[in-house]
Amino acid sequence: MNPVERAVRGIDRAQQRHTPPAVVIGVVRKYGDDRGGLLAALITYYGFVALIPLLLLLSTVLGFVLHGHPGAQRAVVDSALADFPIIGDQLRQNVHSVQGSGIALVVGLVGLVYGALGIAQVLQHAMAEIWNVRNTDRPGYWPRLARSALLFTTLATGLLLATAAAALIGTTLTGLPARTGALVLSAVLNSALCLACLRILTPAGVPVRALLPGCALAGPLFTLLQAFGAVLVTHQLRHATAVYGFFATVIGLLSWLYLAAQITLYAAETNVVLHRRLWPRSLLQPPLTGPDEEVLTAVARQEERRPEQHVEVTFTDRPAPTGQRDPPHRPDDGGNRRP
């Protein structure tokens, strides 16, 4: 055993003896076992795809509103919307000639529905992967579509409540109390919204109390992410040049979406680890701990694609000799290899 491995194994033994670090390591290991980075990238992609038709839809609606209304045109030019890179310059130059298009409205709606349904489907797939639901037990297309509609309704309701609450605080309080109250209320609402969404996306057999720890963690993190995004746009991108502002906006938006996806996935992983007590996990193998074997068994069994298929998982006490690719045949196999 070299000095580096000896040091890592010492750290491994220490974290396994203490619950807080063991839980953190368990969540991180579970995220890696479920290919969380790939799931977060898929959520980010569909989120970005949904935003493009959303911008087209907003610009089209804006054209209908601005056309023939000089007061509305002046209000848009004087608003914070005119400070955004690319969009702001176009508004200042063409605010008097912006017109809505029926074709653009239809294209924007269709694209928005496509992208939004993609996000909902990927989120349901991610929750099934995280909770290791077998493929044979996962819902079909129409139940997933119904869940998607319920998810969008919940998100729209949550956003309306958050907007109304923020407006109420802004009209009743000023200064530091208003900002503090808005942040606290936003964290509470984000936690509640996260709980409602995870309840929709998570398998029905999981109790609601098992979803509380991750949501309590995700709510404040979402609030910080929202506040950071607002500061970035307000203080960094509003005076950027057209070209630089375009690239900075795209990269910043992708990064923001990826962070939001990671927060969602880590919240779900936290719920799974705490609910199933999947700690302590080992940093170096062998040996495998009991939670290690439980997670690896669940990951293997979730790949069952047909009711006739049954996956069995066994673990050996020591690694196979060098050059041996297949494990020895079990006595009950009769000496025949299973495919």
Side-chain angles (χ1 to χ4, degrees):
M1 185 183 299
N2 58 59
V4 175
E5 183 179 354
R6 186 180 299 109
V8 174
R9 289 196 178 276
I11 296 173
D12 193 8
R13 289 191 296 269
Q15 65 90 13
Q16 291 187 32
R17 289 193 297 264
H18 300 85
T19 299
V23 171
V24 173
I25 295 298
V27 171
V28 174
R29 289 295 309 276
K30 184 70 166 57
Y31 180 86
D33 292 332
D34 295 329
R35 301 183 181 92
L38 178 60
L39 296 175
L42 283 173
I43 296 173
T44 303
Y45 166 75
Y46 278 102
F48 188 77
V49 169
L51 282 177
I52 302 303
L54 177 61
L55 291 176
L56 176 62
L57 185 64
L58 288 176
S59 63
T60 303
V61 173
L62 192 62
F64 283 117
V65 174
L66 295 180
H67 185 65
H69 296 81
Q73 294 174 0
R74 288 193 300 270
V76 169
V77 172
D78 296 335
S79 68
L81 185 62
D83 291 327
F84 278 84
I86 306 297
I87 299 176
D89 294 337
Q90 296 298 320
L91 283 176
R92 293 190 186 94
Q93 297 172 9
N94 306 298
V95 66
H96 299 290
S97 59
V98 173
Q99 296 182 4
S101 171
I103 297 178
L105 182 63
V106 173
V107 172
L109 284 173
V110 172
L112 179 61
V113 170
Y114 170 79
L117 287 177
I119 295 175
Q121 297 292 320
V122 169
L123 284 173
Q124 293 182 62
H125 172 73
M127 293 302 114
E129 291 286 309
I130 290 173
W131 286 94
N132 305 118
V133 180
R134 301 184 186 188
N135 283 277
T136 54
D137 298 331
R138 299 185 184 184
Y141 175 75
W142 294 110
R144 294 200 309 270
L145 190 62
R147 282 189 179 184
S148 300
L150 182 59
L151 178 65
F152 296 145
T153 303
T154 303
L155 286 173
T157 304
L159 291 176
L160 289 176
L161 290 176
T163 303
L168 179 62
I169 291 179
T171 55
T172 56
L173 299 175
T174 58
L176 182 60
R179 292 192 294 268
T180 303
L183 289 175
V184 172
L185 183 59
S186 176
V188 172
L189 291 177
N190 283 334
S191 298
L193 183 60
C194 180
L195 178 62
C197 293
L198 288 185
R199 177 66 281 174
I200 296 171
L201 298 171
T202 305
V206 179
V208 176
R209 64 177 180 275
L211 307 178
L212 294 176
C215 295
L217 176 67
L221 291 178
F222 276 126
T223 300
L224 292 177
L225 188 61
Q226 291 169 352
F228 176 77
V231 171
L232 178 65
V233 171
T234 303
H235 297 288
Q236 300 297 330
L237 299 182
R238 63 184 301 179
H239 300 302
T241 61
V243 175
Y244 172 78
F246 173 76
F247 286 109
T249 301
V250 171
I251 294 174
L253 181 59
L254 287 173
S255 301
W256 193 92
L257 290 172
Y258 187 72
L259 288 175
Q262 285 190 312
I263 291 174
T264 303
L265 296 179
Y266 270 112
E269 297 285 12
T270 301
N271 293 332
V272 177
V273 170
L274 293 178
H275 180 62
R276 296 179 178 172
R277 299 187 63 84
L278 298 177
W279 78 87
R281 300 288 302 275
S282 57
L283 295 175
L284 291 178
Q285 301 86 30
L288 293 171
T289 66
D292 283 329
E293 295 184 357
E294 185 176 349
V295 170
L296 295 176
T297 300
V299 169
R301 287 179 174 173
Q302 79 181 28
E303 295 302 323
E304 295 180 359
R305 301 301 179 96
R306 294 284 304 168
E308 303 87 351
Q309 181 186 13
H310 181 66
V311 175
E312 296 182 3
V313 181
T314 58
F315 296 90
T316 57
D317 295 333
R318 57 184 180 275
T322 303
Q324 180 175 329
R325 300 182 59 185
D326 296 325
H329 301 308
R330 298 183 342 193
D332 59 353
D333 286 340
N336 297 322
R337 293 181 61 183
R338 291 187 174 183

